[in-house]
Amino acid sequence: MQDDANNPEKKVISDEEIKKIAQLSMLNLNQDELEMLKTDFGNTLKLFETLEKKDVDSVEVSYESSKISQPRRNDEVLHDNKTQKQQNADTSPYFNKKTGYFDVPPVIETE
Amino acid sequence: MLHKLSLKQLHDGLKNKDFTSKELTGHYLDRIAKHDVNLNSFISVTSEHALAQAQEADKIIQRGEQTGMLTGIPIAQKDIFCTKGIKTTCCSKILAEFTPPYDATVIKKYQENNSIMIGKTNMDEFAMGGSNENSYFGLCANPWDLTRVPGGSSGGSASAVAARLCPGATGTDTGGSIRQPASFCGISGIKPTYGRISRYGMIAFASSLDQAGPMAPSAEDLAIMLQAMAGKDSQDMTSANIEVPNYLSYINESLKGKKVGLPKEFFQDGLDDKIRSKIEDAIEVLKQQGVEFVEISLPNSVLAVPTYYIIGPCEASSNLARYDGVRYGYRTNNPKNLESLYKDSRAEGFGDEVKRRILIGTYALSSGYYDAYYQKAQKIRKVIKEDFDKAFEKVDLILGPTTPSFAYKIGAMTKDPVKMYLGDIFTIPANLAGLPGMSIPVGFSNNMPIGMQLIGKAFAEPEMLNMAHIYQQNTDWHTQIPEKYTT
């Protein structure tokens, strides 16, 4: 398994696929990066092939490692979220104190 | 020679007024100034903050108030914990200028214990890596051999403790990031049970696996630090609502009659013979203390690495979506439009390993692949946990190597990330099962340290610290300091 996983010749993902994943990941990657990441990506997928042989069809899916139940609390505001959020915003260089919004480039293009 | 004292000895020294916290803090700051040029274990040295805290601690001690075990003692914090008013970068370009407006719970707890924060330590970017080579602020060296890696992701903490630039440091462990660097640097480190320590203010990588823990020379030191860090926190709904025991009160218990399992899968081909031999020596030491050993099997542990490298990246791709250049963190210069603001900020702000994991995670969660990868990995995670449940019906603790090999040369693995992933083979199973794991030093080969791992049932930290402490009472590996850093 390890040899296959480490064989850079075994690419199992196409250029289109890696570009699609980069788009979904919101990462603007240049051609060199795409090539490098494609190779690494392929090798990682080869590593995952070891899981294919394992039959877990009858296993119930579980998303937590601990079964400890957590106590519930009353639905009351415990923290002053507004002040906290304001403090967070105030430390951001992109927060516009006049408008109370974060500045980003215009979404609607102007001439 | 203050840096050769244990946390308990430092506590006694401060209490007896043999030295002040200011002197102690000054001593460690001097050591950092002298030695860290070559190690790069610290990202920020918070001298002013530390000396001000030391002054306060000295006042408390002077007043003769009841002091905690960590009062006036300097501790280094991994740069993953948010520190109010002090830069917290996670060693990423994307957070290089980020100063949090709040403290992580771990930081608060150290403050409540009147401990001194001496600085923030180097790490792999967003805790992704096993060598500290993925840090935006440059690699960190192993004090035992400056041409070798300290391990990762808590490499800075391990390196700083090993060189005695601080008496203890915090780390975080998602797939081995406390235990593997502890093993590579010849110190002790414990990843407690998932939920034992609050994750609030600890920058997220993979939320179902991330867990903070202490790193220090000895198990006794770890017990003192864990005491300060553990406990339920209303800010983290996954923190366990289970009473925190007095760890120090357990560490001297007799080991007679304890049963320890040796998983056959941890001792197969691929394990360096020198490591195997040192683990066998350690087993002999424990046998003399009345510990009984039996062979056990964790048959699905061989699937842990691929399982982890699906679940971890899936959670990371989701957690790291918050870095979009809009509200905080790095923003690209002159974005063409809103989409370019997101995509260029992220492309310029993240390093290669982080990008790799975001891509893998996004792929495994994307339409058409979710069942084959993410859901299947979650099922295998359950099966791995069941292997542990079965093993713990017969044994109290599980013992094995921490890593299959020694600290490797800087640059040796950078071109082959998958090979580096496979180095986590013995540490990942405990993370997937949410169980506590620890690494303690058990010897050297060619002057490089070797670590031994203990894995316990959920919340079995007292038993693990007990066994590690008794072992350390009968050996002196944990007291070894690299020659260059002894004086």
Side-chain angles (χ1 to χ4, degrees), chain B residues 360-383:
Chain B
I360 286 286
T362 305
Y363 177 78
L365 288 174
S366 66
S367 172
Y369 297 100
Y370 179 86
D371 287 351
Y373 289 113
Y374 184 68
Q375 198 163 68
K376 179 148 194 181
Q378 289 291 9
K379 286 182 174 185
I380 295 174
R381 178 182 193 170
K382 194 176 178 196
V383 172

mmCIF file with all atom_site columns, all heavy atoms in Angstrom, chain B residues 360-383:
data_model
loop_
_atom_site.group_PDB
_atom_site.id
_atom_site.type_symbol
_atom_site.label_atom_id
_atom_site.label_alt_id
_atom_site.label_comp_id
_atom_site.label_asym_id
_atom_site.label_entity_id
_atom_site.label_seq_id
_atom_site.pdbx_PDB_ins_code
_atom_site.Cartn_x
_atom_site.Cartn_y
_atom_site.Cartn_z
_atom_site.occupancy
_atom_site.B_iso_or_equiv
_atom_site.pdbx_formal_charge
_atom_site.auth_seq_id
_atom_site.auth_comp_id
_atom_site.auth_asym_id
_atom_site.auth_atom_id
_atom_site.pdbx_PDB_model_num
ATOM 1   N N   . ILE B 1 360 ? -8.412  18.305 0.035  1.00 0.00 ? 360 ILE B N   1
ATOM 2   C CA  . ILE B 1 360 ? -8.825  16.918 0.316  1.00 0.00 ? 360 ILE B CA  1
ATOM 3   C C   . ILE B 1 360 ? -10.168 16.911 1.047  1.00 0.00 ? 360 ILE B C   1
ATOM 4   O O   . ILE B 1 360 ? -11.073 16.140 0.709  1.00 0.00 ? 360 ILE B O   1
ATOM 5   C CB  . ILE B 1 360 ? -7.744  16.195 1.175  1.00 0.00 ? 360 ILE B CB  1
ATOM 6   C CG1 . ILE B 1 360 ? -6.524  15.848 0.317  1.00 0.00 ? 360 ILE B CG1 1
ATOM 7   C CG2 . ILE B 1 360 ? -8.286  14.940 1.853  1.00 0.00 ? 360 ILE B CG2 1
ATOM 8   C CD1 . ILE B 1 360 ? -6.706  14.697 -0.653 1.00 0.00 ? 360 ILE B CD1 1
ATOM 9   N N   . GLY B 1 361 ? -10.285 17.772 2.026  1.00 0.00 ? 361 GLY B N   1
ATOM 10  C CA  . GLY B 1 361 ? -11.530 17.823 2.805  1.00 0.00 ? 361 GLY B CA  1
ATOM 11  C C   . GLY B 1 361 ? -12.708 18.250 1.956  1.00 0.00 ? 361 GLY B C   1
ATOM 12  O O   . GLY B 1 361 ? -13.802 17.663 2.050  1.00 0.00 ? 361 GLY B O   1
ATOM 13  N N   . THR B 1 362 ? -12.503 19.253 1.124  1.00 0.00 ? 362 THR B N   1
ATOM 14  C CA  . THR B 1 362 ? -13.581 19.729 0.249  1.00 0.00 ? 362 THR B CA  1
ATOM 15  C C   . THR B 1 362 ? -14.005 18.618 -0.711 1.00 0.00 ? 362 THR B C   1
ATOM 16  O O   . THR B 1 362 ? -15.192 18.391 -0.940 1.00 0.00 ? 362 THR B O   1
ATOM 17  C CB  . THR B 1 362 ? -13.108 20.971 -0.545 1.00 0.00 ? 362 THR B CB  1
ATOM 18  O OG1 . THR B 1 362 ? -12.644 21.942 0.390  1.00 0.00 ? 362 THR B OG1 1
ATOM 19  C CG2 . THR B 1 362 ? -14.212 21.560 -1.390 1.00 0.00 ? 362 THR B CG2 1
ATOM 20  N N   . TYR B 1 363 ? -13.009 17.911 -1.247 1.00 0.00 ? 363 TYR B N   1
ATOM 21  C CA  . TYR B 1 363 ? -13.274 16.797 -2.166 1.00 0.00 ? 363 TYR B CA  1
ATOM 22  C C   . TYR B 1 363 ? -14.092 15.712 -1.470 1.00 0.00 ? 363 TYR B C   1
ATOM 23  O O   . TYR B 1 363 ? -15.124 15.268 -1.977 1.00 0.00 ? 363 TYR B O   1
ATOM 24  C CB  . TYR B 1 363 ? -11.931 16.239 -2.643 1.00 0.00 ? 363 TYR B CB  1
ATOM 25  C CG  . TYR B 1 363 ? -12.013 15.039 -3.557 1.00 0.00 ? 363 TYR B CG  1
ATOM 26  C CD1 . TYR B 1 363 ? -12.338 15.187 -4.899 1.00 0.00 ? 363 TYR B CD1 1
ATOM 27  C CD2 . TYR B 1 363 ? -11.726 13.755 -3.076 1.00 0.00 ? 363 TYR B CD2 1
ATOM 28  C CE1 . TYR B 1 363 ? -12.387 14.085 -5.744 1.00 0.00 ? 363 TYR B CE1 1
ATOM 29  C CE2 . TYR B 1 363 ? -11.775 12.656 -3.908 1.00 0.00 ? 363 TYR B CE2 1
ATOM 30  C CZ  . TYR B 1 363 ? -12.107 12.819 -5.248 1.00 0.00 ? 363 TYR B CZ  1
ATOM 31  O OH  . TYR B 1 363 ? -12.154 11.728 -6.071 1.00 0.00 ? 363 TYR B OH  1
ATOM 32  N N   . ALA B 1 364 ? -13.631 15.301 -0.263 1.00 0.00 ? 364 ALA B N   1
ATOM 33  C CA  . ALA B 1 364 ? -14.293 14.191 0.437  1.00 0.00 ? 364 ALA B CA  1
ATOM 34  C C   . ALA B 1 364 ? -15.707 14.553 0.884  1.00 0.00 ? 364 ALA B C   1
ATOM 35  O O   . ALA B 1 364 ? -16.525 13.671 1.112  1.00 0.00 ? 364 ALA B O   1
ATOM 36  C CB  . ALA B 1 364 ? -13.453 13.754 1.638  1.00 0.00 ? 364 ALA B CB  1
ATOM 37  N N   . LEU B 1 365 ? -15.988 15.836 1.020  1.00 0.00 ? 365 LEU B N   1
ATOM 38  C CA  . LEU B 1 365 ? -17.339 16.253 1.423  1.00 0.00 ? 365 LEU B CA  1
ATOM 39  C C   . LEU B 1 365 ? -18.213 16.624 0.227  1.00 0.00 ? 365 LEU B C   1
ATOM 40  O O   . LEU B 1 365 ? -19.392 16.921 0.389  1.00 0.00 ? 365 LEU B O   1
ATOM 41  C CB  . LEU B 1 365 ? -17.257 17.469 2.357  1.00 0.00 ? 365 LEU B CB  1
ATOM 42  C CG  . LEU B 1 365 ? -16.740 17.237 3.783  1.00 0.00 ? 365 LEU B CG  1
ATOM 43  C CD1 . LEU B 1 365 ? -16.586 18.567 4.507  1.00 0.00 ? 365 LEU B CD1 1
ATOM 44  C CD2 . LEU B 1 365 ? -17.658 16.322 4.575  1.00 0.00 ? 365 LEU B CD2 1
ATOM 45  N N   . SER B 1 366 ? -17.613 16.627 -0.971 1.00 0.00 ? 366 SER B N   1
ATOM 46  C CA  . SER B 1 366 ? -18.367 17.125 -2.126 1.00 0.00 ? 366 SER B CA  1
ATOM 47  C C   . SER B 1 366 ? -19.358 16.085 -2.621 1.00 0.00 ? 366 SER B C   1
ATOM 48  O O   . SER B 1 366 ? -19.234 14.888 -2.346 1.00 0.00 ? 366 SER B O   1
ATOM 49  C CB  . SER B 1 366 ? -17.423 17.571 -3.247 1.00 0.00 ? 366 SER B CB  1
ATOM 50  O OG  . SER B 1 366 ? -16.731 16.454 -3.751 1.00 0.00 ? 366 SER B OG  1
ATOM 51  N N   . SER B 1 367 ? -20.330 16.573 -3.346 1.00 0.00 ? 367 SER B N   1
ATOM 52  C CA  . SER B 1 367 ? -21.409 15.727 -3.855 1.00 0.00 ? 367 SER B CA  1
ATOM 53  C C   . SER B 1 367 ? -20.849 14.519 -4.605 1.00 0.00 ? 367 SER B C   1
ATOM 54  O O   . SER B 1 367 ? -19.972 14.653 -5.452 1.00 0.00 ? 367 SER B O   1
ATOM 55  C CB  . SER B 1 367 ? -22.277 16.581 -4.775 1.00 0.00 ? 367 SER B CB  1
ATOM 56  O OG  . SER B 1 367 ? -23.209 15.780 -5.427 1.00 0.00 ? 367 SER B OG  1
ATOM 57  N N   . GLY B 1 368 ? -21.330 13.344 -4.266 1.00 0.00 ? 368 GLY B N   1
ATOM 58  C CA  . GLY B 1 368 ? -20.886 12.130 -4.953 1.00 0.00 ? 368 GLY B CA  1
ATOM 59  C C   . GLY B 1 368 ? -19.763 11.402 -4.222 1.00 0.00 ? 368 GLY B C   1
ATOM 60  O O   . GLY B 1 368 ? -19.512 10.232 -4.491 1.00 0.00 ? 368 GLY B O   1
ATOM 61  N N   . TYR B 1 369 ? -19.058 12.088 -3.333 1.00 0.00 ? 369 TYR B N   1
ATOM 62  C CA  . TYR B 1 369 ? -17.937 11.449 -2.633 1.00 0.00 ? 369 TYR B CA  1
ATOM 63  C C   . TYR B 1 369 ? -18.181 11.320 -1.129 1.00 0.00 ? 369 TYR B C   1
ATOM 64  O O   . TYR B 1 369 ? -17.425 10.666 -0.433 1.00 0.00 ? 369 TYR B O   1
ATOM 65  C CB  . TYR B 1 369 ? -16.634 12.227 -2.871 1.00 0.00 ? 369 TYR B CB  1
ATOM 66  C CG  . TYR B 1 369 ? -16.228 12.236 -4.324 1.00 0.00 ? 369 TYR B CG  1
ATOM 67  C CD1 . TYR B 1 369 ? -16.489 13.332 -5.126 1.00 0.00 ? 369 TYR B CD1 1
ATOM 68  C CD2 . TYR B 1 369 ? -15.594 11.130 -4.879 1.00 0.00 ? 369 TYR B CD2 1
ATOM 69  C CE1 . TYR B 1 369 ? -16.136 13.337 -6.466 1.00 0.00 ? 369 TYR B CE1 1
ATOM 70  C CE2 . TYR B 1 369 ? -15.240 11.110 -6.211 1.00 0.00 ? 369 TYR B CE2 1
ATOM 71  C CZ  . TYR B 1 369 ? -15.514 12.232 -7.008 1.00 0.00 ? 369 TYR B CZ  1
ATOM 72  O OH  . TYR B 1 369 ? -15.176 12.219 -8.319 1.00 0.00 ? 369 TYR B OH  1
ATOM 73  N N   . TYR B 1 370 ? -19.206 11.996 -0.649 1.00 0.00 ? 370 TYR B N   1
ATOM 74  C CA  . TYR B 1 370 ? -19.474 12.072 0.790  1.00 0.00 ? 370 TYR B CA  1
ATOM 75  C C   . TYR B 1 370 ? -19.601 10.670 1.415  1.00 0.00 ? 370 TYR B C   1
ATOM 76  O O   . TYR B 1 370 ? -18.947 10.360 2.415  1.00 0.00 ? 370 TYR B O   1
ATOM 77  C CB  . TYR B 1 370 ? -20.745 12.894 1.021  1.00 0.00 ? 370 TYR B CB  1
ATOM 78  C CG  . TYR B 1 370 ? -21.153 13.022 2.459  1.00 0.00 ? 370 TYR B CG  1
ATOM 79  C CD1 . TYR B 1 370 ? -20.620 14.040 3.258  1.00 0.00 ? 370 TYR B CD1 1
ATOM 80  C CD2 . TYR B 1 370 ? -22.069 12.144 3.030  1.00 0.00 ? 370 TYR B CD2 1
ATOM 81  C CE1 . TYR B 1 370 ? -21.001 14.167 4.591  1.00 0.00 ? 370 TYR B CE1 1
ATOM 82  C CE2 . TYR B 1 370 ? -22.450 12.271 4.355  1.00 0.00 ? 370 TYR B CE2 1
ATOM 83  C CZ  . TYR B 1 370 ? -21.919 13.274 5.129  1.00 0.00 ? 370 TYR B CZ  1
ATOM 84  O OH  . TYR B 1 370 ? -22.282 13.400 6.434  1.00 0.00 ? 370 TYR B OH  1
ATOM 85  N N   . ASP B 1 371 ? -20.433 9.803  0.804  1.00 0.00 ? 371 ASP B N   1
ATOM 86  C CA  . ASP B 1 371 ? -20.637 8.460  1.370  1.00 0.00 ? 371 ASP B CA  1
ATOM 87  C C   . ASP B 1 371 ? -19.366 7.629  1.308  1.00 0.00 ? 371 ASP B C   1
ATOM 88  O O   . ASP B 1 371 ? -19.018 6.938  2.255  1.00 0.00 ? 371 ASP B O   1
ATOM 89  C CB  . ASP B 1 371 ? -21.749 7.723  0.603  1.00 0.00 ? 371 ASP B CB  1
ATOM 90  C CG  . ASP B 1 371 ? -23.112 8.289  0.940  1.00 0.00 ? 371 ASP B CG  1
ATOM 91  O OD1 . ASP B 1 371 ? -23.191 9.117  1.867  1.00 0.00 ? 371 ASP B OD1 1
ATOM 92  O OD2 . ASP B 1 371 ? -24.091 7.911  0.260  1.00 0.00 ? 371 ASP B OD2 1
ATOM 93  N N   . ALA B 1 372 ? -18.686 7.713  0.148  1.00 0.00 ? 372 ALA B N   1
ATOM 94  C CA  . ALA B 1 372 ? -17.509 6.863  -0.058 1.00 0.00 ? 372 ALA B CA  1
ATOM 95  C C   . ALA B 1 372 ? -16.364 7.248  0.871  1.00 0.00 ? 372 ALA B C   1
ATOM 96  O O   . ALA B 1 372 ? -15.574 6.394  1.272  1.00 0.00 ? 372 ALA B O   1
ATOM 97  C CB  . ALA B 1 372 ? -17.048 6.953  -1.505 1.00 0.00 ? 372 ALA B CB  1
ATOM 98  N N   . TYR B 1 373 ? -16.240 8.510  1.191  1.00 0.00 ? 373 TYR B N   1
ATOM 99  C CA  . TYR B 1 373 ? -15.119 8.938  2.023  1.00 0.00 ? 373 TYR B CA  1
ATOM 100 C C   . TYR B 1 373 ? -15.538 9.311  3.439  1.00 0.00 ? 373 TYR B C   1
ATOM 101 O O   . TYR B 1 373 ? -15.229 8.608  4.387  1.00 0.00 ? 373 TYR B O   1
ATOM 102 C CB  . TYR B 1 373 ? -14.377 10.115 1.370  1.00 0.00 ? 373 TYR B CB  1
ATOM 103 C CG  . TYR B 1 373 ? -13.605 9.710  0.148  1.00 0.00 ? 373 TYR B CG  1
ATOM 104 C CD1 . TYR B 1 373 ? -13.964 10.168 -1.112 1.00 0.00 ? 373 TYR B CD1 1
ATOM 105 C CD2 . TYR B 1 373 ? -12.501 8.867  0.250  1.00 0.00 ? 373 TYR B CD2 1
ATOM 106 C CE1 . TYR B 1 373 ? -13.251 9.796  -2.247 1.00 0.00 ? 373 TYR B CE1 1
ATOM 107 C CE2 . TYR B 1 373 ? -11.788 8.484  -0.867 1.00 0.00 ? 373 TYR B CE2 1
ATOM 108 C CZ  . TYR B 1 373 ? -12.162 8.946  -2.115 1.00 0.00 ? 373 TYR B CZ  1
ATOM 109 O OH  . TYR B 1 373 ? -11.457 8.571  -3.220 1.00 0.00 ? 373 TYR B OH  1
ATOM 110 N N   . TYR B 1 374 ? -16.261 10.417 3.588  1.00 0.00 ? 374 TYR B N   1
ATOM 111 C CA  . TYR B 1 374 ? -16.518 10.941 4.931  1.00 0.00 ? 374 TYR B CA  1
ATOM 112 C C   . TYR B 1 374 ? -17.336 9.969  5.777  1.00 0.00 ? 374 TYR B C   1
ATOM 113 O O   . TYR B 1 374 ? -16.963 9.626  6.891  1.00 0.00 ? 374 TYR B O   1
ATOM 114 C CB  . TYR B 1 374 ? -17.216 12.308 4.852  1.00 0.00 ? 374 TYR B CB  1
ATOM 115 C CG  . TYR B 1 374 ? -17.423 12.931 6.210  1.00 0.00 ? 374 TYR B CG  1
ATOM 116 C CD1 . TYR B 1 374 ? -16.334 13.365 6.969  1.00 0.00 ? 374 TYR B CD1 1
ATOM 117 C CD2 . TYR B 1 374 ? -18.696 13.062 6.758  1.00 0.00 ? 374 TYR B CD2 1
ATOM 118 C CE1 . TYR B 1 374 ? -16.510 13.919 8.228  1.00 0.00 ? 374 TYR B CE1 1
ATOM 119 C CE2 . TYR B 1 374 ? -18.882 13.619 8.018  1.00 0.00 ? 374 TYR B CE2 1
ATOM 120 C CZ  . TYR B 1 374 ? -17.785 14.044 8.746  1.00 0.00 ? 374 TYR B CZ  1
ATOM 121 O OH  . TYR B 1 374 ? -17.959 14.586 9.983  1.00 0.00 ? 374 TYR B OH  1
ATOM 122 N N   . GLN B 1 375 ? -18.445 9.497  5.215  1.00 0.00 ? 375 GLN B N   1
ATOM 123 C CA  . GLN B 1 375 ? -19.298 8.622  6.015  1.00 0.00 ? 375 GLN B CA  1
ATOM 124 C C   . GLN B 1 375 ? -18.618 7.286  6.306  1.00 0.00 ? 375 GLN B C   1
ATOM 125 O O   . GLN B 1 375 ? -18.706 6.765  7.412  1.00 0.00 ? 375 GLN B O   1
ATOM 126 C CB  . GLN B 1 375 ? -20.630 8.404  5.303  1.00 0.00 ? 375 GLN B CB  1
ATOM 127 C CG  . GLN B 1 375 ? -21.665 7.880  6.268  1.00 0.00 ? 375 GLN B CG  1
ATOM 128 C CD  . GLN B 1 375 ? -23.055 8.048  5.724  1.00 0.00 ? 375 GLN B CD  1
ATOM 129 O OE1 . GLN B 1 375 ? -23.411 7.396  4.744  1.00 0.00 ? 375 GLN B OE1 1
ATOM 130 N NE2 . GLN B 1 375 ? -23.853 8.890  6.324  1.00 0.00 ? 375 GLN B NE2 1
ATOM 131 N N   . LYS B 1 376 ? -17.894 6.777  5.326  1.00 0.00 ? 376 LYS B N   1
ATOM 132 C CA  . LYS B 1 376 ? -17.191 5.516  5.544  1.00 0.00 ? 376 LYS B CA  1
ATOM 133 C C   . LYS B 1 376 ? -16.118 5.701  6.631  1.00 0.00 ? 376 LYS B C   1
ATOM 134 O O   . LYS B 1 376 ? -15.953 4.851  7.511  1.00 0.00 ? 376 LYS B O   1
ATOM 135 C CB  . LYS B 1 376 ? -16.561 5.026  4.238  1.00 0.00 ? 376 LYS B CB  1
ATOM 136 C CG  . LYS B 1 376 ? -15.805 3.731  4.433  1.00 0.00 ? 376 LYS B CG  1
ATOM 137 C CD  . LYS B 1 376 ? -15.825 2.836  3.224  1.00 0.00 ? 376 LYS B CD  1
ATOM 138 C CE  . LYS B 1 376 ? -15.345 1.440  3.630  1.00 0.00 ? 376 LYS B CE  1
ATOM 139 N NZ  . LYS B 1 376 ? -15.312 0.516  2.535  1.00 0.00 ? 376 LYS B NZ  1
ATOM 140 N N   . ALA B 1 377 ? -15.418 6.814  6.572  1.00 0.00 ? 377 ALA B N   1
ATOM 141 C CA  . ALA B 1 377 ? -14.377 7.083  7.572  1.00 0.00 ? 377 ALA B CA  1
ATOM 142 C C   . ALA B 1 377 ? -14.990 7.172  8.974  1.00 0.00 ? 377 ALA B C   1
ATOM 143 O O   . ALA B 1 377 ? -14.413 6.679  9.942  1.00 0.00 ? 377 ALA B O   1
ATOM 144 C CB  . ALA B 1 377 ? -13.640 8.374  7.233  1.00 0.00 ? 377 ALA B CB  1
ATOM 145 N N   . GLN B 1 378 ? -16.153 7.767  9.071  1.00 0.00 ? 378 GLN B N   1
ATOM 146 C CA  . GLN B 1 378 ? -16.813 7.859  10.385 1.00 0.00 ? 378 GLN B CA  1
ATOM 147 C C   . GLN B 1 378 ? -17.198 6.480  10.904 1.00 0.00 ? 378 GLN B C   1
ATOM 148 O O   . GLN B 1 378 ? -17.133 6.210  12.108 1.00 0.00 ? 378 GLN B O   1
ATOM 149 C CB  . GLN B 1 378 ? -18.049 8.766  10.311 1.00 0.00 ? 378 GLN B CB  1
ATOM 150 C CG  . GLN B 1 378 ? -17.740 10.242 10.145 1.00 0.00 ? 378 GLN B CG  1
ATOM 151 C CD  . GLN B 1 378 ? -17.103 10.885 11.371 1.00 0.00 ? 378 GLN B CD  1
ATOM 152 O OE1 . GLN B 1 378 ? -16.714 10.232 12.332 1.00 0.00 ? 378 GLN B OE1 1
ATOM 153 N NE2 . GLN B 1 378 ? -16.960 12.197 11.328 1.00 0.00 ? 378 GLN B NE2 1
ATOM 154 N N   . LYS B 1 379 ? -17.607 5.602  9.996  1.00 0.00 ? 379 LYS B N   1
ATOM 155 C CA  . LYS B 1 379 ? -17.945 4.226  10.400 1.00 0.00 ? 379 LYS B CA  1
ATOM 156 C C   . LYS B 1 379 ? -16.691 3.496  10.885 1.00 0.00 ? 379 LYS B C   1
ATOM 157 O O   . LYS B 1 379 ? -16.724 2.772  11.875 1.00 0.00 ? 379 LYS B O   1
ATOM 158 C CB  . LYS B 1 379 ? -18.584 3.466  9.228  1.00 0.00 ? 379 LYS B CB  1
ATOM 159 C CG  . LYS B 1 379 ? -20.007 3.901  8.940  1.00 0.00 ? 379 LYS B CG  1
ATOM 160 C CD  . LYS B 1 379 ? -20.589 3.063  7.810  1.00 0.00 ? 379 LYS B CD  1
ATOM 161 C CE  . LYS B 1 379 ? -22.065 3.384  7.604  1.00 0.00 ? 379 LYS B CE  1
ATOM 162 N NZ  . LYS B 1 379 ? -22.668 2.496  6.599  1.00 0.00 ? 379 LYS B NZ  1
ATOM 163 N N   . ILE B 1 380 ? -15.584 3.683  10.157 1.00 0.00 ? 380 ILE B N   1
ATOM 164 C CA  . ILE B 1 380 ? -14.342 3.011  10.552 1.00 0.00 ? 380 ILE B CA  1
ATOM 165 C C   . ILE B 1 380 ? -13.850 3.569  11.885 1.00 0.00 ? 380 ILE B C   1
ATOM 166 O O   . ILE B 1 380 ? -13.330 2.842  12.734 1.00 0.00 ? 380 ILE B O   1
ATOM 167 C CB  . ILE B 1 380 ? -13.280 3.105  9.434  1.00 0.00 ? 380 ILE B CB  1
ATOM 168 C CG1 . ILE B 1 380 ? -13.787 2.326  8.211  1.00 0.00 ? 380 ILE B CG1 1
ATOM 169 C CG2 . ILE B 1 380 ? -11.929 2.571  9.901  1.00 0.00 ? 380 ILE B CG2 1
ATOM 170 C CD1 . ILE B 1 380 ? -12.948 2.436  6.982  1.00 0.00 ? 380 ILE B CD1 1
ATOM 171 N N   . ARG B 1 381 ? -14.071 4.870  12.074 1.00 0.00 ? 381 ARG B N   1
ATOM 172 C CA  . ARG B 1 381 ? -13.707 5.481  13.357 1.00 0.00 ? 381 ARG B CA  1
ATOM 173 C C   . ARG B 1 381 ? -14.420 4.744  14.502 1.00 0.00 ? 381 ARG B C   1
ATOM 174 O O   . ARG B 1 381 ? -13.838 4.466  15.547 1.00 0.00 ? 381 ARG B O   1
ATOM 175 C CB  . ARG B 1 381 ? -14.120 6.954  13.334 1.00 0.00 ? 381 ARG B CB  1
ATOM 176 C CG  . ARG B 1 381 ? -13.851 7.681  14.619 1.00 0.00 ? 381 ARG B CG  1
ATOM 177 C CD  . ARG B 1 381 ? -14.331 9.124  14.528 1.00 0.00 ? 381 ARG B CD  1
ATOM 178 N NE  . ARG B 1 381 ? -13.805 9.880  15.641 1.00 0.00 ? 381 ARG B NE  1
ATOM 179 C CZ  . ARG B 1 381 ? -13.869 11.199 15.752 1.00 0.00 ? 381 ARG B CZ  1
ATOM 180 N NH1 . ARG B 1 381 ? -14.414 11.911 14.792 1.00 0.00 ? 381 ARG B NH1 1
ATOM 181 N NH2 . ARG B 1 381 ? -13.377 11.818 16.791 1.00 0.00 ? 381 ARG B NH2 1
ATOM 182 N N   . LYS B 1 382 ? -15.679 4.413  14.274 1.00 0.00 ? 382 LYS B N   1
ATOM 183 C CA  . LYS B 1 382 ? -16.453 3.724  15.298 1.00 0.00 ? 382 LYS B CA  1
ATOM 184 C C   . LYS B 1 382 ? -15.874 2.329  15.564 1.00 0.00 ? 382 LYS B C   1
ATOM 185 O O   . LYS B 1 382 ? -15.775 1.893  16.716 1.00 0.00 ? 382 LYS B O   1
ATOM 186 C CB  . LYS B 1 382 ? -17.920 3.623  14.845 1.00 0.00 ? 382 LYS B CB  1
ATOM 187 C CG  . LYS B 1 382 ? -18.836 3.232  15.959 1.00 0.00 ? 382 LYS B CG  1
ATOM 188 C CD  . LYS B 1 382 ? -20.273 3.231  15.504 1.00 0.00 ? 382 LYS B CD  1
ATOM 189 C CE  . LYS B 1 382 ? -21.167 2.780  16.644 1.00 0.00 ? 382 LYS B CE  1
ATOM 190 N NZ  . LYS B 1 382 ? -22.484 2.398  16.167 1.00 0.00 ? 382 LYS B NZ  1
ATOM 191 N N   . VAL B 1 383 ? -15.489 1.655  14.489 1.00 0.00 ? 383 VAL B N   1
ATOM 192 C CA  . VAL B 1 383 ? -14.937 0.306  14.622 1.00 0.00 ? 383 VAL B CA  1
ATOM 193 C C   . VAL B 1 383 ? -13.600 0.350  15.377 1.00 0.00 ? 383 VAL B C   1
ATOM 194 O O   . VAL B 1 383 ? -13.307 -0.512 16.211 1.00 0.00 ? 383 VAL B O   1
ATOM 195 C CB  . VAL B 1 383 ? -14.767 -0.313 13.199 1.00 0.00 ? 383 VAL B CB  1
ATOM 196 C CG1 . VAL B 1 383 ? -14.030 -1.624 13.262 1.00 0.00 ? 383 VAL B CG1 1
ATOM 197 C CG2 . VAL B 1 383 ? -16.121 -0.502 12.529 1.00 0.00 ? 383 VAL B CG2 1
#
